[in-house]
Amino acid sequence: MYDAPALAPSRNLCRVTALAPCMTDTYPTDAPFEMTDSGSGQGRLFRPLGDWTLDRAAALDRDLKRLEPSAGAVRIDGGGLGQLDTAGAWLLVRLGRRLSGDQAEPAFDNFAPAHAVLLERVGETERETPAPPAKGNGIVDFVGRIGGGVVGAGQQGRQLIGFLGLATVTMGRVLRQPSRLRYTALVHQIEKTGLDALPIVGLLTFLIGVVLAYQGAEQLRTFGAEIFTVNLLGVSILRELGILITAIIVAGRSGSAFTAQIGTMKVNQEVDAMQTMGLDPIEVLVLPRMLALMVSLPLLTFFADIMGLAGGGVICLFLLDIPPDQYMRQLANATDISHFWVGMVKAPFFAAIIALVGCFEGLRVSGSAESVGRLTTQSVVESIFLVIIADAAFSILFQVMGV
Amino acid sequence: MAAAENIIEVTGLRTQFGRQVIHEDLDFAVRRGEVMGVVGGSGTGKSVLLKEIIGLIRPAAGDIRVLGGDVLNDEAAMRRARESWGVLFQDGALFSSLTVAENIQVPMRERGGLSQALMDELALMKLALVGLPANAGPKFPSELSGGMRKRAGLARALALDPDLLFLDEPTAGLDPIGAADFDELIRNLQQSLDLTVVMVTHDLDSLVAVTDRISALVDKKVVVGTMAELMELDQPWLRSYFHGVRARQVAGMAAPAS
């Protein structure tokens, strides 16, 4: 393209200028550079013209790429240069490097002192670009990720069981010396996790009762057995739904709060400070939260049961014309008290799981605030998962026991 | 380029949080091409002043002009100003989900028009400019030391070749050697890139090494002058700041100023 050496120097300038992309409308000003042959065996002369700044860098980059294949020693003359910034200086340095081959430093002549300083600084850029991280085989990576996930989950399970042991031992020690228990923290946590959760738990379980009664009544009506809607409500809410919905809400509300609170303390090095003063973070942070949740979750479950049955009762009254007194009588006849206890007995176990996972993930936070967010998400997912697993285990247990 | 041209001009500034007044009728100006240090006791609103100039906090009253444009009321002037300044926050404020090179490319990408290959090269060049090795480019900010994060933050601040550079406590949290290196880097870049620098700092060494003039926030206002001039003043906070034990040590090591 730039077959300049074949041409006489005088004509050469016009020729190259005419070839340069200034003729397109890329540039508001004249040609950004010209290439001339000095003819004296010193190689060719490259003259940047006008401003070489970031604004024109994209266009300059394209044009220089087209110029570069015509190799040969080149001097770069800055006499015609207007403004220069680091982007422009980089383009000149790069051009010089490419044209002068990789051995010699490019020759820059006639630059204003400020431009020369800039070129020198930019010239310190390393020649070798770092190799991008190697991309592995897609399938191998995929299998590797699955394997890594499984191993990671296993390790975390082990750590969680270890943490359960630690919490149990600490609890045993504290129960022998009840004065060590932090009652203020305990009451505060009961208020936060129990009392403050009443509105949302009540509302949601009431609505669950409504939905359940409505759907049940629709189906049972086809057999003319609407009255059994009450049995359905009693058994399902008392045994499963009351506790499960409550546990899931509490995991989202309080389990995440535990992780975020303890995690933030970890980031602020508050936990480290505690340890240097001889305070046990398990005793100070984990136990009050765990005991508080084991108190408040059964209470919340009881409230949830009441609200769920109330929601069902409203539908029975309006849809099935079952008045409240008949609804209560049917409920008492149809549902054995054991259903209620089956639900209630699970509550402290679920509470322990939620508190344990929440605190465990909080204490795993290290370094940045970013990990607080990540582990909070993980804590909620994990505690809901474990609660449902535990619920399934309880179902099997009660089946075997015949309750 | 007139030496006395003011690139930043703040007049009659008033800042208030609730009933607490931080700045009252404050005037502050920075000339093109100088390095202006901003000092003051804690709670005097050094960082607040910086945030007001760069538009993160709105003052209760007053006028702020950057590059001649009224950045408080004129959206277009604010946009122009944003394109012509770079800001280095205390701990670099690098985007944690992006690599260092990608961080440097964020302003370039926002501006548009540059090819990925050119942006990669420019990012590499900026890294070299702030004294980071090329292999820092593909790393994530969490893999860098505090000093390297600051340098990477500086590289991002310089991504679009700004005229104006704001530094918030650039040497805080660095060891003395790292801090001295960083001071030298700033001085060096300021001269070779022809920058105007506004630097909030506590560090007397930095003030001596880098700044041309100093603005001290005292009694809700700014007292401005060279270090030698400020040392002459009879103001309690300035006296204890410049004539304290640490200050005497720094002054003893630097050239005899007064």
Side-chain angles (χ1 to χ4, degrees):
Chain A
M1 209 181 338
Y2 287 90
D3 51 347
L7 296 155
S10 58
R11 281 167 53 215
N12 194 4
L13 195 144
C14 323
R15 171 73 192 278
V16 173
T17 312
L19 265 177
C22 60
M23 290 305 147
T24 68
D25 54 2
T26 320
Y27 299 110
T29 53
D30 287 322
F33 53 78
E34 60 183 25
M35 189 82 145
T36 48
D37 199 329
S38 58
S40 55
Q42 284 193 342
R44 288 169 301 160
L45 189 65
F46 180 88
R47 280 170 57 83
L49 298 173
D51 295 345
W52 276 50
T53 53
L54 189 63
D55 292 328
R56 295 168 75 186
L60 286 169
D61 181 42
R62 266 196 311 278
D63 300 334
L64 288 177
K65 284 247 164 70
R66 255 180 278 166
L67 178 70
E68 274 159 11
S70 60
V74 157
R75 283 181 306 117
I76 298 178
D77 181 305
L81 198 57
Q83 282 182 18
L84 183 70
D85 67 4
T86 57
W90 165 251
L91 291 172
L92 286 177
V93 166
R94 190 185 69 181
L95 177 80
R97 282 180 184 178
R98 289 193 181 158
L99 293 189
S100 66
D102 273 342
Q103 305 84 18
E105 280 300 319
F108 294 111
D109 296 331
N110 217 1
F111 278 87
H115 294 167
V117 172
L118 203 57
L119 285 169
E120 196 179 320
R121 286 220 59 129
V122 169
E124 288 161 16
T125 309
E126 288 167 51
R127 279 165 186 268
E128 296 294 320
T129 52
K135 279 204 180 109
N137 183 324
I139 296 169
V140 173
D141 279 355
F142 179 66
V143 175
R145 274 182 62 178
I146 293 178
V150 171
V151 171
Q155 277 171 351
Q156 211 182 334
R158 256 186 69 180
Q159 286 173 3
L160 191 60
I161 291 171
F163 189 70
L164 170 67
L166 189 62
T168 313
V169 169
T170 313
M171 188 166 342
R173 204 178 56 220
V174 170
L175 290 182
R176 264 185 289 143
Q177 283 177 283
S179 61
R180 291 187 71 99
L181 195 60
R182 303 191 186 243
Y183 290 100
T184 319
L186 182 69
V187 172
H188 175 75
Q189 291 296 340
I190 290 177
E191 184 193 334
K192 284 271 165 211
T193 58
L195 196 62
D196 292 356
L198 281 179
I200 185 72
V201 168
L203 179 66
L204 288 185
T205 44
F206 183 86
L207 291 175
I208 294 282
V210 166
V211 171
L212 200 63
Y214 193 77
Q215 296 296 333
E218 287 285 296
Q219 296 300 318
L220 292 171
R221 181 176 282 165
T222 51
F223 307 108
E226 293 104 311
I227 193 68
F228 287 111
T229 307
V230 182
N231 302 35
L232 171 75
L233 279 170
V235 173
S236 56
I237 288 179
L238 291 181
R239 272 188 94 103
E240 290 294 339
L241 287 179
I243 171 66
L244 208 54
I245 297 292
T246 312
I248 287 171
I249 294 168
V250 167
R253 230 185 136 268
S254 305
S256 62
F258 291 172
T259 309
Q261 286 161 359
I262 296 178
T264 312
M265 292 179 75
K266 208 61 211 266
V267 172
N268 284 342
Q269 291 195 301
E270 287 173 57
V271 177
D272 294 349
M274 226 176 249
Q275 273 171 318
T276 56
M277 292 177 213
L279 296 169
D280 179 7
I282 306 286
E283 188 182 311
V284 179
L285 298 175
V286 179
L287 270 199
R289 287 181 167 79
M290 200 163 137
L291 290 175
L293 210 58
M294 287 170 80
V295 172
S296 56
L297 191 62
L299 295 175
L300 281 174
T301 304
F302 180 76
F303 178 65
D305 287 349
I306 303 285
M307 292 302 283
L309 293 176
V314 169
I315 291 298
C316 285
L317 175 64
F318 289 111
L319 206 71
L320 304 177
D321 291 325
I322 302 174
D325 56 331
Q326 198 191 336
Y327 177 72
M328 302 280 262
R329 222 173 315 125
Q330 178 69 17
L331 202 59
N333 290 338
T335 48
D336 192 70
I337 190 70
S338 67
H339 294 308
F340 169 71
W341 287 118
V342 162
M344 287 304 276
V345 102
K346 294 190 270 193
F349 290 95
F350 290 1
I353 289 172
I354 294 165
L356 216 56
V357 171
C359 296
F360 171 71
E361 296 293 346
L363 287 171
R364 285 212 317 157
V365 167
S366 61
S368 65
E370 191 201 352
S371 69
V372 177
R374 192 166 46 79
L375 287 170
T376 303
T377 313
Q378 200 173 327
S379 145
V380 174
V381 173
E382 220 165 84
S383 51
I384 292 178
F385 170 76
L386 288 177
V387 160
I388 291 176
I389 295 279
D391 193 45
F394 270 113
S395 298
I396 296 170
L397 181 70
F398 291 133
Q399 184 75 41
V400 171
M401 286 167 63
V403 186
Chain B
M1 212 191 313
E5 187 200 348
N6 282 341
I7 193 163
I8 299 177
E9 223 166 319
V10 176
T11 43
L13 187 78
R14 178 186 167 81
T15 312
Q16 212 171 347
F17 293 126
R19 247 188 285 164
Q20 192 189 1
V21 177
I22 309 233
H23 305 134
E24 178 85 78
D25 196 23
L26 174 149
D27 296 335
F28 173 73
V30 180
R31 296 176 194 148
R32 187 179 281 280
E34 75 174 344
V35 181
M36 173 64 90
V38 179
V39 300
S42 46
T44 51
K46 306 181 292 287
S47 292
V48 172
L49 177 62
L50 186 78
K51 284 182 181 164
E52 283 172 340
I53 296 171
I54 59 182
L56 294 178
I57 299 180
R58 213 181 154 78
D63 189 35
I64 299 177
R65 291 181 167 275
V66 178
L67 295 162
D70 179 0
V71 291
L72 280 184
N73 303 313
D74 183 356
E75 265 304 309
M78 188 64 187
R79 220 173 307 124
R80 263 201 315 281
R82 276 204 190 108
E83 275 173 21
S84 61
W85 72 42
V87 184
L88 171 63
F89 291 95
Q90 253 190 49
D91 195 32
L94 295 165
F95 303 119
S96 51
S97 56
L98 303 178
T99 64
V100 170
E102 286 165 347
N103 260 288
I104 300 172
Q105 290 168 9
V106 167
M108 302 180 190
R109 193 158 291 150
E110 202 47 40
R111 200 165 187 281
L114 299 175
S115 69
Q116 184 61 48
L118 183 61
M119 284 199 291
D120 286 341
E121 288 172 12
L122 289 177
L124 206 62
M125 181 266 286
K126 301 285 173 186
L127 283 177
L129 215 54
V130 298
L132 283 176
N135 64 20
K139 285 188 181 155
F140 284 95
S142 55
E143 299 172 80
L144 301 181
S145 68
M148 288 172 90
R149 269 206 297 277
K150 285 202 177 178
R151 282 174 190 260
L154 186 60
R156 187 179 67 181
L158 294 173
L160 294 182
D161 278 288
D163 297 326
L164 188 54
L165 184 62
F166 292 99
L167 307 171
D168 191 1
E169 306 254 5
T171 53
L174 297 185
D175 65 275
I177 301 168
D181 285 350
F182 204 80
D183 287 341
E184 198 191 316
L185 173 68
I186 290 170
R187 190 79 222 177
N188 227 314
L189 288 174
Q190 189 263 332
Q191 279 160 357
S192 49
L193 305 183
D194 194 20
L195 295 168
T196 308
V197 179
V198 179
M199 176 164 131
V200 172
T201 187
H202 275 301
D203 190 343
L204 277 168
D205 294 297
S206 292
L207 285 177
V208 173
V210 182
T211 56
D212 296 314
R213 291 196 303 160
I214 297 171
S215 291
L217 281 157
V218 178
D219 297 333
K220 297 167 189 167
K221 289 195 175 43
V222 160
V223 183
V224 67
T226 63
M227 189 146 183
E229 284 165 9
L230 291 185
M231 285 173 91
E232 299 288 300
L233 292 177
D234 191 25
Q235 204 282 333
W237 186 82
L238 286 175
R239 284 196 73 78
S240 57
Y241 185 69
F242 286 119
H243 296 275
V245 179
R246 286 169 50 88
R248 277 202 301 277
Q249 285 166 354
V250 172
M253 284 187 287
S258 52

